[in-house]
Amino acid sequence: MAKQAKHPILYSFRRCPYAMRARLALCISNINVEIREIVLRDKPTHMLEISPKATVPVLRLIDGTVIDESLDIMIYALGRQDPQEWLCEDQQTTDFLIKRNDRNFKYALDRYKYPDRYPEEDCSKMFDHGADILNDLNARIEKHGALVEDYNTLADYAIFPFIRQFANTDRPRFENLKLKPLENWLDDHLKSDLFQTIMHKYTPWQEGDDPIIFGA
Ligand SMILES: N[C@@H](CCC(=O)N[C@@H](CS)C(=O)NCC(=O)O)C(=O)O
């Protein structure tokens, strides 16, 4: 008989912004999971069995339920425990900002960062498309202190890993946008204990390894 898992299992990839947002929420909600760092080009068979769409993050609960969308993992974790009130009242703005990030901003980010992957497309305007969204985020932060409320909520944590990638692609070009409130907001996230914790480096998991508990 298969051994009963003691903890939920999280398949994760350190540098993936979707996996980062899932780890942020799991960490803040104090849910201990067995973390299995993967290599994208050599995904574990068990992960592919439980989630054939083959993207990280994937969370498998002890009862066998599989959650394989990063935002759903965040909402699951915060539904269990939400000590910093990331789930705020303004769900409409939160949904709008996250959807725009996951569709429009990610689209521009991929093409700005990896134009070689899109040889048929003209990627020359992708920095500007991303920057339009950054301008809007900057205005919101300038007005409220964070994206939705006057403190960081779900939208901030779901979005900043993507802004990090955009900024790191060409730091001087990003800084040249002169979006100080956004830059400070990003720096605060990157310097936070929470971010340091979720960016711990794990050796890729292999079948038979002893469990490594994340968040413990
Ligand atoms: N909608 C998914 C997207 C996850 C996603 O695309 N993750 C990337 C890594 S950043 C991935 O696993 N890609 C598969 C691959 O590169 O093989 C989510 O929010 O969880």
Side-chain angles (χ1 to χ4, degrees):
M1 216 171 71
K3 255 200 296 179
Q4 169 82 19
K6 284 207 184 83
H7 297 280
I9 295 169
L10 178 72
Y11 287 101
S12 181
F13 179 61
R14 183 175 177 270
R15 288 185 292 120
C16 164
Y18 299 101
M20 284 180 202
R21 58 157 71 142
R23 297 198 303 271
L24 288 163
L26 287 165
C27 193
I28 206 68
S29 62
N30 263 309
I31 298 180
N32 291 345
V33 297
E34 176 185 340
I35 189 158
R36 295 183 176 179
E37 176 74 14
I38 70 149
V39 177
L40 285 177
R41 55 174 192 287
D42 185 18
K43 295 176 185 130
T45 313
H46 179 248
M47 175 184 141
L48 299 175
E49 276 168 13
I50 63 173
S51 179
K53 80 181 173 78
T55 61
V56 278
V58 177
L59 181 68
R60 184 193 174 278
L61 303 179
I62 295 174
D63 69 4
T65 307
V66 174
I67 312 178
D68 60 6
E69 279 295 321
S70 55
L71 198 57
D72 294 340
I73 296 176
M74 293 186 88
I75 288 166
Y76 162 77
L78 298 167
R80 294 282 305 275
Q81 228 185 127
D82 184 12
Q84 295 185 357
E85 298 186 22
W86 291 12
L87 296 176
C88 62
E89 271 178 24
D90 191 348
Q91 275 187 29
Q92 210 182 336
T93 309
T94 302
D95 282 359
F96 163 75
L97 291 175
I98 296 176
K99 282 205 179 92
R100 185 183 61 179
N101 178 77
D102 290 11
R103 293 179 188 161
N104 312 39
F105 189 74
K106 178 72 164 92
Y107 181 91
L109 170 63
D110 286 345
R111 284 156 184 79
Y112 162 53
K113 190 165 179 195
Y114 306 111
D116 296 353
R117 291 186 190 167
Y118 305 91
E120 314 283 293
E121 297 182 36
D122 174 10
C123 296
S124 61
K125 297 274 183 299
M126 290 301 153
F127 177 85
D128 295 339
H129 287 328
D132 286 345
I133 294 177
L134 295 183
N135 267 294
D136 173 68
L137 298 179
N138 186 64
R140 289 171 190 272
I141 294 165
E142 195 165 29
K143 187 165 168 207
H144 306 291
L147 291 180
V148 181
E149 304 284 345
D150 58 4
Y151 68 99
N152 290 309
T153 60
L154 181 67
D156 300 85
Y157 292 100
I159 291 173
F160 90 77
F162 297 84
I163 311 303
R164 170 182 178 269
Q165 265 197 0
F166 193 94
N168 286 350
T169 301
D170 180 343
R171 193 75 205 187
R173 199 173 180 193
F174 172 71
E175 282 172 12
N176 208 27
L177 291 170
K178 303 204 186 319
L179 303 175
K180 263 290 158 208
L182 180 78
E183 267 183 52
N184 293 339
W185 167 89
L186 180 61
D187 284 349
D188 287 347
H189 279 293
L190 301 184
K191 281 194 213 121
S192 70
D193 290 346
L194 180 61
F195 188 67
Q196 302 304 319
T197 304
I198 68 114
M199 290 305 278
H200 184 85
K201 280 191 184 151
Y202 297 100
T203 313
W205 176 80
Q206 286 187 324
E207 189 72 54
D209 281 356
D210 285 337
I212 294 176
I213 306 306
F214 168 79

